[in-house]
Amino acid sequence: MDQALKMSRGLERKLLIIGSFWNLVTSLLTIFSYYNWFDREGSLSLENSDLNTMIAGSQMVNNVLQVILLFGIFMLVGAVINFLIAVKIKDNEIQNKVLVWIGIWGLIQLASMDIIGFLIFLIAFVIYLAKNKAIKLTKTAVV
């Protein structure tokens, strides 16, 4: 195949690596900063409570802490998966599973109100779709 017709996935690769790094930063902030802050604030708010309120409140704080930790770990795993996908993207090929993953992960970013992450993965998704169309057109033009 002519070198001029080869479609590079460099921009998508860079966007996925940036998105992966962003997810890594937000997950580490969630696990180590937000988790500790919520634990401290939850304990302080329950200090002057009666016994029943303190028991129920501490149980509720522990449940919320588990959700925070689980979300942070989920984002950390997502960051690793995004990095691995970015490394394994193949140039001049249409990989539908990669496209589906980028779309799903972008929706997860939107659902978690991570607007920066959503924009990164939305741009990667749109560019991936556009290059898929270009790859299809060049393959039909060559044939």
Side-chain angles (χ1 to χ4, degrees), residues 11-69:
L11 185 56
E12 297 96 306
R13 192 175 288 115
K14 289 174 188 165
L15 284 169
L16 287 178
I17 289 172
I18 290 169
S20 174
F21 180 72
W22 175 254
N23 289 152
L24 177 70
V25 168
T26 58
S27 69
L28 293 177
L29 283 173
T30 300
I31 292 169
F32 294 111
S33 184
Y34 185 60
Y35 180 88
N36 290 331
W37 174 83
F38 194 87
D39 187 27
R40 187 174 52 251
E41 290 298 314
S43 298
L44 286 175
S45 67
L46 293 173
E47 274 183 0
N48 297 326
S49 302
D50 62 38
L51 183 61
N52 290 334
T53 305
M54 191 178 297
I55 291 171
S58 67
Q59 190 66 16
M60 184 177 69
V61 167
N62 285 335
N63 289 340
V64 172
L65 286 173
Q66 287 177 351
V67 170
I68 291 170
L69 186 62

Side-chain angles (χ1 to χ4, degrees), residues 15 102 106-107 116-128:
L15 284 169
I102 295 171
L107 291 175
I116 294 172
F118 171 70
L119 289 175
I120 292 169
F121 288 100
L122 176 66
I123 293 168
F125 184 79
V126 170
I127 292 172
Y128 199 92

